[in-house]
């Protein structure tokens, strides 16, 4: 098996330590500036929609500094909190970094939040200014209840200042220390007390570089930001990782497969990060297309894929890229080097098929509170059933393991957050005095520090026999059924005295399934057939015993995770 060619990719920082920064890690501002010094003419930020726009590192930093000069000319101070919310774009990245260059704290907000929800978070976070898309800018803080000093546009606008037109007298903002907060990310929170994850410069910078201990990335790489960039996953695993090595980020604005495929090809993307839903759709569409050309051809392709995968796994030789280049073109992955899946569990079958086709396909694990990366499968030693190997300096312990070794996962390391903003009670619930973070996830770790997830502790279903069942384990079995658009496994009460639960599937069928089975009875019968097929693969106590068909799509987050708690409320008995 091939070995990683550079065990510490951050060693180049030694050349700049004592000149550009002191201590072990630079702050975020200096991290970006070092890449400007190393790769001034490399493409930094790029987008194709609505029109092509591109910045080299030198050009990007010039604009970033101009944004900071403007903010400083308006009187911003150390620690002022400034929000940025919008569709993925170079302007979003420039505003984000401009806020940091000015010595302020950046608060990325989900553009899909309702106006009132966004205002709640800004008011709670003490946000003083906001960068936002032109189509939302007039709706926010109309009544002045948030108390915003100024709103700035991420798109050209007749009334509001456009981020790329900002400038001011040249001056330096506050130089943040490594342990000072640089970003506050809200994990959820439109009701109750919001949870704003406070991340320091060290959290983000250390996590960015340490993750490279499990994966080589290069200045020649092109990353694709298609998932919402306010989210920790895209923000760090795409934007930060990209600019830490002088690579390029291509920003995609719409989760529309046809546009994604075009931007992957036009951008010559080498690093494609997405969620299970998207990868499952891509591989299912490819395999269905082959199957339609005949069962014999399909059989030959699958056989060759098995051989290709075995050679790659055993000998570390990737023959699939050449063998299946004509298929990879259908997915616009002919230029791709690595695909990374995060944000949820992925079926091992999807993982295997991408690798068999010649793509270095891996998955990782983390959460906003860990900046977010804690685990990443090395491309040279991946395990399909694992979410990855712990990155350097990430400590893991499994608390209260059951008979199978599955317990609550705790994380410690430089990537662990400082705490929740203005919420000491919530911080104490998950973060111990000695720095261990309760992730709320359940799983086990092997002797080589590969992590295997079982599910979320909060979503566990307790059966009549006292067995714990994690919905994610069951949902995995349905991910490649193209007749199902969404599935959510929840419990339902079968014994009030013991509070034992049965296992219930809530399914939103695909449009094709609704066309093929126009009668509700026939549609439900087909869904029950699929459940019967899956039940054969499951242990007896995990079998689904109830089905509900949803007439509408299930509520999802902006990163395409089903909101399980809301589904439970919708289908409450």
């Amino acid at each position: 098996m091939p070995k990683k060619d550079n065990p510490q990719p951050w060693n180049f920082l030694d050349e700049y330590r004592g000149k550009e920064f002191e201590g072990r890690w630079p702050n975020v501002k200096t991290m970006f500036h070092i890449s400007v010094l190393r790769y001034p003419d490399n493409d930094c930020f790029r987008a194709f929609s609505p029109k092509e726009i591109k910045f080299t590192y030198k050009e990007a930093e010039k604009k970033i500094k101009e944004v900071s000069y403007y903010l400083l000319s308006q009187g911003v101070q150390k620690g002022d909190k400034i929000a940025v919310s919008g569709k993925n774009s170079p302007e979003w990245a420039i505003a984000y970094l401009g806020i940091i260059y000015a010595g302020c704290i950046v608060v990325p907000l989900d553009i899909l939040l309702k106006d009132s929800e966004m205002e709640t978070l800004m008011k709670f976070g003490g946000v003083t200014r906001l960068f936002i898309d032109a189509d939302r800018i007039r709706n926010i803080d109309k009544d002045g209840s948030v108390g915003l000093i100024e709103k700035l546009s991420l798109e050209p606008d007749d009334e509001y200042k456009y981020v790329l037109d900002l400038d001011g007298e040249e001056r330096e903002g506050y130089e943040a220390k490594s342990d000072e907060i640089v970003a506050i990310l809200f994990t959820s929170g439109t009701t109750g007390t919001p949870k704003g994850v406070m991340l320091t410069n060290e959290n983000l910078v250390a996590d960015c570089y340490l993750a490279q201990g499990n994966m080589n990335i290069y200045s020649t790489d092109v990353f694709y930001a298609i998932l919402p960039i306010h989210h920790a996953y895209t923000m760090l695993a795409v934007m930060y990782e990209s600019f830490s090595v002088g690579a390029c980020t291509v920003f995609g604005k719409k989760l529309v497969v046809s546009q994604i495929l075009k931007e992957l090809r036009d951008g010559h993307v080498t690093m494609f990060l997405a969620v299970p839903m998207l990868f499952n759709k891509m591989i299912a569409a490819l395999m269905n297309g082959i199957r339609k050309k005949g069962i014999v051809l399909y059989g030959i392709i699958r056989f060759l894929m098995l051989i290709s995968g075995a050679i790659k796994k055993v000998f570390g030789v990737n023959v699939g890229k050449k063998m299946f280049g004509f298929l990879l073109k259908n997915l616009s992955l002919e230029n791709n080097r690595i695909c990374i899946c995060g944000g949820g569990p992925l079926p091992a079958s999807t993982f295997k098929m991408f690798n068999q086709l010649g793509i270095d396909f891996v998955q990782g694990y983390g959460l906003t509170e860990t900046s977010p990366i804690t685990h990443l499968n090395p491309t040279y030693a991946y395990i399909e059933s694992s979410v990855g190997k712990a990155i350097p300096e990430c400590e893991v312990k499994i608390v209260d393991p059951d008979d199978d070794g599955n317990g609550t996962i705790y994380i410690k390391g430089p990537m662990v957050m400082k705490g929740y903003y203005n919420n000491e009670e919530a911080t104490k619930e998950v973060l111990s005095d000695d720095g261990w973070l309760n992730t709320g996830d359940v799983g086990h770790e092997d002797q080589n520090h590969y992590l295997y997830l079982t599910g979320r502790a909060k979503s566990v279903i307790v059966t009549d026999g006292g067995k714990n069942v994690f919905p994610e384990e069951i949902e995995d079995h349905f991910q490649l059924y193209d007749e199902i658009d969404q599935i959510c496994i929840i419990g339902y009460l079968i014994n009030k005295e013991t509070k034992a639960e049965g296992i219930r599937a809530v399914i939103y069928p695909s449009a094709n399934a609704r066309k093929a089975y126009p009668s509700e009875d026939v549609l439900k019968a087909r869904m029950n057939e699929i459940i019967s097929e899956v039940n054969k693969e499951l242990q007896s106590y995990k079998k689904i015993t109830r089905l509900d068909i949803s007439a509408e799509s299930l509520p999802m987050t902006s990163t395409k995770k089903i909101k399980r708690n809301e589904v439970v409320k919708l289908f409450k008995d």
Side-chain angles (χ1 to χ4, degrees):
M1 186 64 70
K3 299 296 180 186
K4 197 173 193 304
D5 59 14
N6 182 2
Q8 291 194 329
W10 53 88
N11 284 345
F12 73 89
L13 291 173
D14 292 343
E15 182 185 339
Y16 299 92
R17 192 174 287 105
K19 300 174 187 174
E20 299 295 332
F21 70 98
E22 302 294 336
R24 185 166 186 209
W25 303 110
N27 61 20
V28 173
K29 173 183 173 182
T30 306
M31 179 192 198
F32 187 86
H33 181 64
I34 287 171
S35 283
V36 177
L37 296 175
R38 297 175 79 200
Y39 306 104
D41 299 318
N42 277 18
D43 284 347
C44 179
F45 301 138
R46 191 177 184 192
F48 294 101
S49 175
K51 63 179 182 179
E52 186 169 359
I53 183 171
K54 183 168 66 174
F55 296 89
T56 64
Y57 272 82
K58 185 166 57 179
E59 291 167 343
E61 188 178 49
K62 180 176 182 293
K63 287 294 180 186
I64 290 163
K65 284 183 174 180
E66 287 170 355
V67 171
S68 75
Y69 298 156
Y70 173 80
L71 292 172
L72 290 164
S73 74
Q74 299 302 301
V76 300
Q77 302 289 321
K78 164 193 172 182
D80 280 0
K81 290 175 281 293
I82 302 176
V84 56
S85 181
K87 296 178 285 293
N88 293 2
S89 66
E91 290 95 333
W92 192 102
I94 286 168
Y96 177 100
L97 287 165
I99 293 165
I100 292 172
Y101 265 59
C104 299
I105 295 171
V106 62
V107 183
L109 295 174
D110 187 350
I111 193 63
L112 296 183
L113 289 171
K114 296 174 185 174
D115 295 342
S116 59
E117 293 169 344
M118 197 177 288
E119 289 169 349
T120 296
L121 295 183
M122 287 192 292
K123 197 182 297 184
F124 176 80
V127 168
T128 60
R129 288 174 171 81
L130 169 68
F131 288 86
I132 192 166
D133 287 347
D135 61 350
R136 295 289 300 276
I137 199 165
R138 287 162 180 78
N139 302 328
I140 301 294
D141 197 26
K142 272 184 180 178
D143 60 1
S145 61
V146 177
L148 290 176
I149 295 170
E150 187 175 20
K151 292 183 281 186
L152 301 153
S153 181
L154 295 175
E155 300 167 318
D157 187 273
D158 293 336
E159 184 180 348
Y160 292 88
K161 291 185 174 78
Y162 175 39
V163 62
L164 297 186
D165 291 336
L166 299 180
D167 201 358
E169 181 185 337
E170 187 173 333
R171 65 189 85 190
E172 287 299 316
Y174 172 72
E175 194 68 30
K177 297 178 178 64
S178 193
D179 63 349
E180 291 184 316
I181 297 162
V182 70
I184 298 174
L185 279 66
F186 286 99
T187 57
S188 61
T190 55
T191 59
T193 304
K195 286 185 178 178
V197 176
M198 297 187 292
L199 298 177
T200 65
N201 280 275
E202 181 185 17
N203 288 154
L204 292 165
V205 173
D207 194 53
C208 177
Y209 285 125
L210 292 172
Q212 293 170 40
N214 285 18
M215 179 176 292
N216 289 313
I217 57 176
Y218 308 103
S219 62
T220 51
D221 275 320
V222 179
F223 286 72
Y224 185 43
I226 184 57
L227 300 174
I229 200 166
H230 77 278
H231 193 275
Y233 175 37
T234 310
M235 189 182 73
L236 189 115
V238 177
M239 187 173 75
Y240 272 74
E241 293 293 355
S242 176
F243 71 62
S244 73
V245 298
C248 178
T249 298
V250 170
F251 295 88
K253 291 191 176 182
K254 293 182 180 178
L255 265 171
V256 177
V257 173
S258 58
Q259 186 165 325
I260 289 170
L261 297 182
K262 185 177 187 306
E263 290 175 340
L264 284 172
R265 183 174 292 114
D266 291 348
H268 299 281
V269 171
T270 64
M271 303 290 291
F272 181 27
L273 287 79
V275 288
M277 181 191 75
L278 186 53
F279 285 123
N280 287 330
K281 283 188 174 182
M282 290 173 75
I283 201 71
L286 183 69
M287 292 295 112
N288 288 338
I290 298 169
R291 194 181 282 111
K292 286 176 182 176
K293 292 182 178 178
I295 194 66
V296 175
L297 176 63
Y298 179 78
I300 292 170
I301 293 289
R302 291 295 288 122
F303 176 70
L304 291 174
M305 284 173 65
L306 289 172
I307 293 173
S308 165
I311 293 171
K312 188 171 188 282
K313 186 79 172 172
V314 177
F315 301 105
V317 178
N318 188 355
V319 297
K321 200 78 179 278
K322 288 185 178 179
M323 192 183 292
F324 302 113
F326 67 103
L327 291 178
L328 294 177
K329 280 187 177 180
N330 292 335
L331 297 177
S332 296
L333 293 177
E334 63 268 30
N335 299 306
N336 187 267
R337 199 168 67 78
I338 299 174
C339 284
I340 302 176
C341 185
L346 180 82
S349 54
T350 298
F351 199 145
K352 284 179 182 176
M353 282 192 276
F354 272 100
N355 273 298
Q356 289 168 350
L357 290 169
I359 294 294
D360 280 336
F361 189 97
V362 299
Q363 59 179 327
Y365 170 75
L367 51 162
T368 306
E369 288 87 344
T370 58
S371 301
I373 305 170
T374 63
H375 291 73
L376 193 59
N377 259 290
T379 56
Y380 52 89
Y382 59 88
I383 298 176
E384 288 97 343
S385 54
S386 169
V387 293
K389 184 177 183 179
I391 66 173
E393 300 182 32
C394 174
E395 297 179 62
V396 179
K397 67 178 178 181
I398 306 298
V399 175
D400 297 329
D402 61 17
D403 294 341
D404 297 320
N406 291 308
T408 304
I409 300 163
Y410 279 68
I411 300 287
K412 186 177 182 181
M415 67 290 298
V416 172
M417 68 170 181
K418 199 161 189 172
Y420 294 118
Y421 178 76
N422 273 358
N423 198 336
E424 192 175 341
E425 184 181 345
T427 300
K428 286 182 177 178
E429 283 178 8
V430 299
L431 194 58
S432 69
D433 292 339
D434 57 351
W436 284 100
L437 177 80
N438 180 345
T439 67
D441 286 326
V442 176
H444 65 275
E445 191 181 36
D446 68 18
Q447 60 185 7
N448 295 316
H449 302 294
Y450 283 81
L451 185 68
Y452 302 80
L453 287 188
T454 310
R456 289 289 295 171
K458 287 182 179 178
S459 61
V460 68
I461 298 167
V462 182
T463 69
D464 200 23
K467 292 281 190 180
N468 288 346
V469 177
F470 294 93
E472 296 87 350
E473 284 185 297
I474 300 174
E475 289 163 355
D476 278 355
H477 291 267
F478 291 88
Q479 290 197 44
L480 293 181
Y481 281 95
D482 58 5
E483 291 160 295
I484 294 176
D485 194 50
Q486 296 171 300
I487 182 164
C488 184
I489 299 296
I490 57 177
Y492 68 97
L493 199 63
I494 59 172
N495 189 318
K496 288 183 180 179
E497 290 183 11
T498 65
K499 295 186 178 178
E501 295 176 290
I503 297 168
R504 174 183 194 175
V506 178
I507 289 176
Y508 178 61
S510 67
N512 288 339
R514 289 187 180 277
K515 285 179 185 176
Y517 312 105
S519 158
E520 287 297 317
D521 290 341
V522 176
L523 179 65
K524 190 163 187 175
R526 174 55 189 150
M527 295 300 116
N528 270 316
E529 281 179 13
I530 293 174
I531 286 173
S532 296
E533 290 174 22
V534 169
N535 274 344
K536 290 174 184 175
E537 303 170 12
L538 300 171
Q539 292 164 283
S540 58
Y541 66 90
K542 293 181 181 178
K543 293 186 187 298
I544 297 164
T545 53
R546 182 168 169 181
L547 167 67
D548 288 286
I549 304 290
S550 178
E552 298 179 354
S553 60
L554 303 179
M556 300 185 85
T557 68
S558 57
T559 51
K560 303 305 175 187
K561 288 183 184 176
I562 291 172
K563 296 179 178 178
R564 198 179 305 278
N565 288 343
E566 291 191 22
V567 174
V568 170
K569 289 176 187 175
L570 288 170
F571 289 86
K572 192 173 183 180
D573 291 323

